[in-house]
Amino acid sequence: MVKKPFIFLLLILILLNQVYVDATLDYAPRNIDTECSPKNILVGSYVGGRSHLKPILDVAAILIERGHNVTLLTSGYYAPSLEYPTVKQITLGPEINYKEILDAEFHKEFDFNRMAYFFEKSVKDYKETYEKYKSVAKDYNIDLFICDMHINEACLDIANTLKKPVVGMSSFFQFANRGLHKSDPMFQCNISLENESFLERFKCIIVRPLKLFYMIHPIINQLNNFREQVNVKPIVMGQSPKVSLHLVDTFFGFELPQSLPPNVQEMGPVLSEEYPSLTSELSDFMNAHDRVLYVAFGTRFHASTENNNKLLQSFVEAINKKIIDGVVWALVLTPEDSYSSTITLTDGSHIQTSPILNNKHPHIHIAKFAPQFAILNHTNTKLFFAHGGAGSSHESLYTGTPMLVLPFGVDQMGNADKLESAGVALTLNKFNLDVSDIINKIDFLLKDKNIKKNSERLEFLAKINSKRKFRAADSIEYILHSSNLNEGVDEEFLNEWFPAESRMGLIKGNNYDVYGAWLGIVLGLIGGILWVIFISISFILKRIIPFFIQKLKNE
């Protein structure tokens, strides 16, 4: 039988618990209404293509789910827009063809000299592109612009001219806030200057930027002339049109760490919620091979005939040596005639390439299209041989797949350096490919314990950071809300995100005037002390010493 005092105590405890719960509920934080009325958003990219558009559209897809209307304006027609059926697409003109622009220099070194070709083309198209943006902005009553930051001045200019908020997006910090300790292989410098000599840092920070300035200065002048013709204020060399927020599709761990102002935010890796699954044919091939090497070089570049022969020979010999037992090669852009008819192996034997390219080899699967994420996410994919594009790098890191990187140009060289620095990849040089070197690096990447450990570490970090695309969408909605409250964009717009030094100028913003004054005071004090010492010594030499000499003579 339960005693009455115990029952009484139990009732008191229940009553106290209810009081505590009521109090907790009373003071629990209430949800804040963050809903934003539907707005019209324009996504603009002059270059276009999957690598530039997909991260932007993945963020735009979140905004669409929240009720906003998104229009895409880009060169060519973005075929994967079927993934975003509610995005209306308008073309700027024909698709940008890298091979056509570079012509005979397609397989040469791709540094900032080659990049200038694309900048020059964008400038020639500036007036037509600007008017297209202007027309679409008017027709669709655009409230906010999301502009790809790669040679897309017209998008940024029309947004600022119409006094609309503009969000810039890129895959690396070169366009936003590079960091004083960082450079880029496009400038023939290492990605990090931390351990470089004074001479090398001087070249990368002073000499090569001056060469770049000299090279593109005439193009900037031409751009400013076109700007004036459409009543846009010219931009001083070294400056960029103002953006309300710069979102960068990267994350620290892959990217070298640096400090950032509040208006520059990392949001990567941006990955889709859903990806195409494996075809039945590809699924059967993957399931039948335990150690698959996946090969893909994106949709912009492909290797030369000589290098394609070396790659194919490497894959065949790696299979023969049982380093790998299967290869899936996505030949998206590579022409069919980019291989010799016969390849000679290291042992002197010869193989015909045509049967391999037509999927007659039991352990090599050639595809014009490959569902990349599904392949990388398959448990039998052990290594990714890639060009080092941002999207491919992010997918590889997310799935914990080590990489062998053969960069062709643009940001790929910098990404290759970052991946190798992170300990998840090895790199190759397209100008001195060697079959033995390729095979040895494949073997090393598959066996090294540190590569495996670093891949697992970066996989965890990539998965954590992949959720930040929702924060990017939140930030864009905050800009829309602020613009609505502010009734437009002015000089004070989003000052809470812009550091004071960005408005104070180079000297005042870095306190160079204060440090200069302090240095002047210190030097003045030192000079004063030295002057007093000099006067004292002079007095001793002129008065006191002659006095004692004369006194000695008199004695």
Side-chain angles (χ1 to χ4, degrees), residues 355-416:
I356 297 175
L357 297 174
N358 287 294
N359 280 332
K360 303 299 182 184
H361 193 291
H363 304 301
I364 299 178
H365 182 84
I366 304 294
K368 277 293 181 185
F369 166 77
Q372 181 162 290
F373 188 83
I375 294 172
L376 290 173
N377 206 34
H378 195 286
T379 185
N380 290 346
T381 302
K382 305 302 181 184
L383 185 63
F384 185 18
F385 194 156
H387 60 310
S392 294
S393 299
H394 292 166
E395 289 177 2
S396 187
L397 292 169
Y398 187 92
T399 56
T401 311
M403 296 181 73
L404 182 57
V405 187
L406 177 63
F408 292 95
V410 204
D411 62 330
Q412 298 163 17
M413 298 174 289
N415 290 337

Side-chain angles (χ1 to χ4, degrees), residues 50 54 58 83 270-277 371-374 395:
R50 184 179 180 84
K54 186 163 178 54
D58 280 342
E83 300 171 39
V270 177
L271 299 169
S272 296
E273 295 300 305
E274 297 180 358
Y275 281 91
S277 58
Q372 181 162 290
F373 188 83
E395 289 177 2

Side-chain angles (χ1 to χ4, degrees), residues 336-354:
E336 294 180 1
D337 60 353
S338 292
Y339 300 86
S340 299
S341 58
T342 304
I343 293 176
T344 303
L345 302 182
T346 304
D347 61 8
S349 61
H350 303 282
I351 58 170
Q352 300 294 316
T353 58
S354 180

Side-chain angles (χ1 to χ4, degrees), residues 76-142:
Y77 186 79
Y78 183 57
S81 60
L82 295 175
E83 300 171 39
Y84 315 96
T86 55
V87 175
K88 180 175 180 58
Q89 184 173 169
I90 303 171
T91 184
L92 277 172
E95 182 181 0
I96 303 297
N97 189 315
Y98 277 49
K99 190 170 185 179
E100 184 179 293
I101 294 172
L102 294 171
D103 196 22
E105 299 188 346
F106 183 73
H107 291 299
K108 293 184 179 180
E109 185 173 5
F110 198 105
D111 56 13
F112 63 83
N113 294 289
R114 305 289 178 271
M115 203 62 232
Y117 295 167
F118 295 90
F119 185 35
E120 192 170 13
K121 184 184 187 314
S122 74
V123 170
K124 288 179 181 178
D125 296 341
Y126 176 83
K127 288 174 64 177
E128 182 181 350
T129 305
Y130 181 87
E131 292 299 334
K132 190 77 173 182
Y133 272 113
K134 184 178 179 180
S135 174
V136 172
K138 180 180 178 182
D139 292 346
Y140 292 88
N141 192 27
I142 298 301

Side-chain angles (χ1 to χ4, degrees), residues 309-321 323 342-351 434-440:
N309 291 338
K310 291 179 180 179
L311 293 173
L312 192 54
Q313 179 185 344
S314 302
F315 304 152
V316 171
E317 295 196 13
I319 291 172
N320 291 344
K321 292 180 179 181
I323 296 172
T342 304
I343 293 176
T344 303
L345 302 182
T346 304
D347 61 8
S349 61
H350 303 282
I351 58 170
D434 178 76
V435 172
S436 297
D437 184 46
I438 295 172
I439 295 172
N440 289 336

